[in-house]
Every structure is written in structure tokens, then in C-alpha cells.
Amino acid sequence: MTISAPEVAATMSTKTRLRLWLRLLKISRSVENNVREKLRVEFDSTLPRFDVLAALYQFPKGLRMSELSGLLKVSNGNVTGIVDRLVKDGLIIRTPVPGDRRALRVRLTKRGEEEFALQAAAHERWIDSLLSDVSLDEADHMISSFDQILANMNDKAGEAS
Amino acid sequence: MTISAPEVAATMSTKTRLRLWLRLLKISRSVENNVREKLRVEFDSTLPRFDVLAALYQFPKGLRMSELSGLLKVSNGNVTGIVDRLVKDGLIIRTPVPGDRRALRVRLTKRGEEEFALQAAAHERWIDSLLSDVSLDEADHMISSFDQILANMNDKAGEAS
DNA sequence: GGCATATATTTCAAGCTTAAAATATTTTTG
DNA sequence: CAAAAATATTTTAAGCTTGAAATATATGCC
């Protein structure tokens, strides 16, 4: 009996995929740590707060708590705490939803909008600088690869987009 | 005065790089959430614990606390807590470092080694499945791109490897 | 209408994470 | 050698995160 070629090939791409994942994780953590530090120093804020503001910025009419946690793909209880603090800081407000007394709609205040616009512009510059050696073509190519991976992954796992 | 071409191009690649980062983050979080859930259900463990065990598995002689936190790129105090719990569970042990009474060396116990071997094998299968539609060539190509990005990023930022 | 079930949100307990302060020890240097 | 500076680690306070339990309200069913 000879060595099974498929098994050898499978092992090889398994190891390579694992390496790919470790590299992906390393980049992701590097960028995240970098952005986290800049948010702290320049805006006295955090990544979770930025994420919440970013989501609300896209929806001027506001979002329900559950829509917000769904978008950010974090737990409900998690968002409660972050929103509490942002409300206390006057960057967002909670308003009741007419017709459903269980639900609350959250949206940016005027100040929250202005503050986030500043943070978003800075964030864009930070990312542009960190990824400055990625050409437009390269970036486009990687984005399509990622989209393909994401589409496939959402089938494999229960994990939504 | 005509529109400045360089500025237009810069804006375009800035936006594309931002999109690239958001996609990268999405994949990274999807995979992480998936692995986290599987570690919880199948091994009653967590990602930070897995990371610590993985680091120690590569260094059978053990690592100092500061080497460990350096490798994982997390704070010193963070590792203290995770190590405390792993010690309590009998998966690792702390031993004094001869000649330096400030330092402690941490290494896997026999049980920790056996337990991690199981987790690592399962982890490899999970990743292989999640990234199953990435071909060997594609993976290799992405790995080089990532390495290049990482090398460039470490110059831009104070952020080490 | 009234009871069961479902949905929206918060609370809770436990663990993760950080930056900064505290502790203990080692090394440098005057 | 003693004071000062540096290093290794832990502790602390605050915030983030999760899954599960609790609370409040709404919807479906008889």
C-alpha cells in the first residue's frame, strides 16, 4: 500500500490555513491595540465605545438595543453597560419606542454626532497610515478574497455575517 | 485651478484601506467567536486560557511571567489572573527562578500538556473547516501579503511583532 | 378575557483586559 | 557599601464580555 496523496495534501493545507489564521489574528490584534491606544490618548475613549458610536452614526433615527447588539455581534448585556456610560457622558440618549414599552431606541445626541465625526476622521487616518503599504489593487483583491471567505464561513458556522 | 489628481487618489485608497480593515476585523471576530464558543462547549475553557497553554506548549522549559505576557502581547497583570486559574486547575505550575527571587517560571504540567494536545488538535480542525475554501496557493499568497503588512506596520507604530 | 409563550431589556456572577500603583528584588552608581 | 534606578511581578480600580437568570411587556391561543 502506497502513501495516500490526498492525506498528505490535506495535512499540508491544514497547516497552511492554521498559519494563515495566526497571521490574520496577529494583524488584527496589532491594529486593534494601536487604535485602542490612540483612542485612549487622543480622545479618552475606548474601542467598544467607538464601535457603538459608529453603529449609531449610520442610523440617525437610532437603533433598538437588540438591533445594536445584533449589529455589533456582542451580547445584549454588554451593550447595556456601554450605552449606560455613553448616556452619562451625554453622547447618546435612550428614548421609548411608541407602541412597545419593552423596547428602547438609542441615538446620538448633537454632541455625540460632533464628537464621533472627529473620532471617525482620525480613525480613518490611523488605518490609512497603518496599512499605507497596501496598494489599491492589492486591497481590492484582498477584500474580494475576504468576502468569499466570509460567505463560505457563514455556511460552515452558525455565525452570521 | 484643476482638481488635484493625487488628492483624489489618496482619498480613494484611504477609503479602500478602511474597507479592507473592516473586512479583516469581521473575519477575525467571526473566527474568534466561533473558536471561543467551541472551546467553551467542548472543553469548558476560554480563548485566553488556550492562548496561554499554546505559548507554554512551545516552551517545555517554561517561560517567565513577563516573557509570557510579552509573547501574547497583553499586560502583565492580565496574565497573572489567567495563570492563577490555570494553576488552580492543575494545568500549569509556577516555579522559582534560581538566582532571581523576583521572577517566576511557568510551565505546563503533565496534565496540562495532555489537555492542550487535545485542544490544539481540535482547534486545527475548526480552523481548517472555517477556512476550507481557501486554497493552498491562495493561503500562501495571503500569508506573504500579511507578512509584508506586518513588517511595514511595525515601523509605522511602536507596536512590536 | 386569561393563560402560555415569546420578545426586549437589564441584572448578575465570573472571567478578561488595561493602565497605574504597589511590592519585592536586583543592578547601578556615586 | 548605600542610595538610587531598574526590573519582575502582583494588586487595584474601572471597564469590557459572556451566558444565564430575572423582569417587564407583548402576542397567541383557547
Side-chain angles (χ1 to χ4, degrees):
Chain A
M1 192 172 231
T2 59
I3 289 167
S4 152
E7 276 165 27
V8 171
T11 295
M12 212 160 98
S13 48
T14 294
K15 296 288 181 198
T16 305
R17 286 191 190 110
L18 187 58
R19 275 206 305 142
L20 175 59
W21 164 238
L22 295 177
R23 233 50 78 92
L24 198 91
L25 191 56
K26 193 186 263 188
I27 291 194
S28 169
R29 286 191 177 165
S30 281
V31 174
E32 278 197 345
N33 283 340
N34 201 285
V35 169
R36 189 192 316 284
E37 167 77 2
K38 292 229 173 74
L39 278 174
R40 185 176 67 84
V41 171
E42 296 186 23
F43 294 103
D44 189 28
S45 191
T46 67
L47 215 36
R49 288 165 63 101
F50 180 85
D51 288 343
V52 166
L53 296 178
L56 295 178
Y57 197 74
Q58 294 183 269
F59 294 87
K61 301 200 169 155
L63 290 169
R64 289 173 179 225
M65 291 298 284
S66 48
E67 293 173 324
L68 189 49
S69 59
L71 271 174
L72 300 176
K73 281 200 271 300
V74 298
S75 67
N76 261 332
N78 185 359
V79 171
T80 298
I82 300 166
V83 163
D84 281 350
R85 286 179 284 275
L86 288 171
V87 166
K88 204 171 61 185
D89 293 348
L91 300 180
I92 67 181
I93 47 172
R94 271 191 256 237
T95 55
V97 172
D100 190 343
R101 285 185 297 173
R102 292 168 306 180
L104 289 169
R105 192 177 297 289
V106 180
R107 63 177 178 71
L108 292 179
T109 60
K110 183 73 182 158
R111 240 195 81 217
E113 223 172 279
E114 290 166 359
E115 175 64 16
F116 179 73
L118 292 176
Q119 295 184 10
H123 177 257
E124 196 174 279
R125 287 193 299 273
W126 301 333
I127 299 299
D128 192 46
S129 165
L130 286 169
L131 301 183
S132 59
D133 75 327
V134 182
S135 72
L136 189 54
D137 280 354
E138 242 182 318
D140 276 332
H141 184 263
M142 289 178 110
I143 288 171
S144 353
S145 297
F146 288 165
D147 282 343
Q148 191 201 332
I149 294 174
L150 274 165
N152 187 272
M153 227 164 50
N154 295 335
D155 301 342
K156 293 278 164 186
E159 287 281 2
S161 88
Chain B
M1 190 176 233
T2 58
I3 289 168
S4 152
E7 275 166 28
V8 171
T11 294
M12 212 161 96
S13 48
T14 294
K15 297 288 181 198
T16 305
R17 286 193 190 107
L18 186 59
R19 274 205 305 142
L20 175 60
W21 164 238
L22 295 178
R23 233 51 78 91
L24 199 91
L25 191 56
K26 195 186 261 188
I27 290 195
S28 168
R29 287 191 178 166
S30 281
V31 174
E32 277 196 346
N33 284 339
N34 201 285
V35 169
R36 189 191 316 284
E37 167 78 2
K38 292 229 173 75
L39 279 174
R40 185 176 66 83
V41 171
E42 297 187 23
F43 294 102
D44 191 27
S45 192
T46 67
L47 215 33
R49 288 165 63 101
F50 180 85
D51 289 342
V52 166
L53 296 179
L56 294 178
Y57 197 75
Q58 294 183 270
F59 294 88
K61 301 201 168 155
L63 290 169
R64 287 172 181 228
M65 291 299 282
S66 49
E67 292 173 325
L68 190 49
S69 59
L71 271 174
L72 300 177
K73 279 202 271 300
V74 298
S75 66
N76 260 332
N78 184 358
V79 172
T80 297
I82 299 166
V83 164
D84 281 350
R85 286 179 284 273
L86 287 171
V87 166
K88 205 172 57 185
D89 292 349
L91 300 180
I92 68 181
I93 48 173
R94 271 190 257 239
T95 55
V97 172
D100 190 343
R101 285 184 299 173
R102 292 167 306 180
L104 289 169
R105 191 176 298 289
V106 180
R107 63 177 176 74
L108 292 179
T109 60
K110 184 71 182 163
R111 239 194 81 217
E113 224 172 281
E114 291 166 357
E115 176 64 17
F116 179 73
L118 292 176
Q119 295 183 10
H123 178 256
E124 197 174 278
R125 286 192 299 272
W126 301 334
I127 299 300
D128 192 46
S129 164
L130 286 169
L131 301 184
S132 58
D133 75 327
V134 183
S135 72
L136 189 55
D137 280 355
E138 243 183 318
D140 276 332
H141 184 264
M142 289 179 109
I143 288 171
S144 350
S145 297
F146 287 164
D147 282 343
Q148 191 202 332
I149 293 173
L150 274 165
N152 187 272
M153 228 164 50
N154 294 336
D155 302 341
K156 292 277 163 186
E159 287 280 3
S161 89

